[in-house]
């Protein structure tokens, strides 16, 4: 991991290896907890894609995705100028893995939530973040025939 990584990408990598309890994940966990949801992180480890939050009671798996690594397509997911082929290949494999995990979960009767990091950032205003989490909470408790929610 020496020459192929430009400084911008390196800082993203450093951010990603801080571990599973990154700030955005904590933010979402705290918000769901405040809305009465309870979850266990141990079961998440054995599930496809290792969801960030698993709501066993509601059969809901929540993923908090970093825009770069999961290639969101927003301004936070632009490819580095150098080694584009390398990054395109790597990131498209991540996207495929995400899709497979989501499909496997839905097939097994789970509902899947994707929260994008940019959505958390752009709702920096406390009130709009809370409003978004309210919408998510309503969706979780609502009609289980809707299997996919993206924020
Ligand atoms: Zn994004």
């Amino acid at each position: 991991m020496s020459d192929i990584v430009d400084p911008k990408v390196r800082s993203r990598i450093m951010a990603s290896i801080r571990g599973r309890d990154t700030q955005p994940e904590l933010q979402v966990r705290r918000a769901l907890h405040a809305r009465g949801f309870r979850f266990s992180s141990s079961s998440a480890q054995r599930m496809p894609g290792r969801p960030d939050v698993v709501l066993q009671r509601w059969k809901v798996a929540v993923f908090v995705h970093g825009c770069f690594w999961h290639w969101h397509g927003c301004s936070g997911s632009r490819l580095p100028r150098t080694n584009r082929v390398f990054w395109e290949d790597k990131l498209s494999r991540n996207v495929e893995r995400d899709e497979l995990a989501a499909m496997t979960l839905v097939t097994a009767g789970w509902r899947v939530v994707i929260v994008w990091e940019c959505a958390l950032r752009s709702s920096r205003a406390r009130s709009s973040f809370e409003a978004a989490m309210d919408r998510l909470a309503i969706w979780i408790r609502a009609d289980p025939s809707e299997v996919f929610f993206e924020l």
Side-chain angles (χ1 to χ4, degrees), residues 65-68 71-77 116-119 121:
H65 276 350
C67 296
F68 180 73
W71 217 4
H72 187 202
C74 67
S75 63
S77 63
W116 290 100
E117 213 179 328
C118 64
R121 248 199 323 271

Side-chain angles (χ1 to χ4, degrees), residues 96-117:
E96 273 170 33
R97 203 178 311 129
D98 291 342
E99 284 172 357
L100 182 64
M103 273 163 47
T104 308
L105 285 166
V106 167
T107 304
W110 289 83
R111 292 184 292 154
V112 173
V113 176
I114 309 286
V115 180
W116 290 100
E117 213 179 328

Side-chain angles (χ1 to χ4, degrees), residues 82-150:
T82 53
N83 300 97
R84 293 184 78 90
V85 174
F86 168 83
W87 286 110
E88 249 176 65
D89 183 54
K90 183 172 181 52
L91 297 181
S92 59
R93 267 183 282 129
N94 288 353
V95 171
E96 273 170 33
R97 203 178 311 129
D98 291 342
E99 284 172 357
L100 182 64
M103 273 163 47
T104 308
L105 285 166
V106 167
T107 304
W110 289 83
R111 292 184 292 154
V112 173
V113 176
I114 309 286
V115 180
W116 290 100
E117 213 179 328
C118 64
L120 297 177
R121 248 199 323 271
S122 62
S123 60
R124 186 169 284 153
R126 199 70 210 149
S127 60
S128 68
F129 172 71
E130 296 300 337
M133 288 297 127
D134 284 343
R135 275 193 289 130
L136 176 55
I138 288 166
W139 181 85
I140 291 169
R141 294 189 168 107
D143 176 13
S145 67
E146 269 186 53
V147 295
F148 194 71
F149 187 91
E150 197 172 11

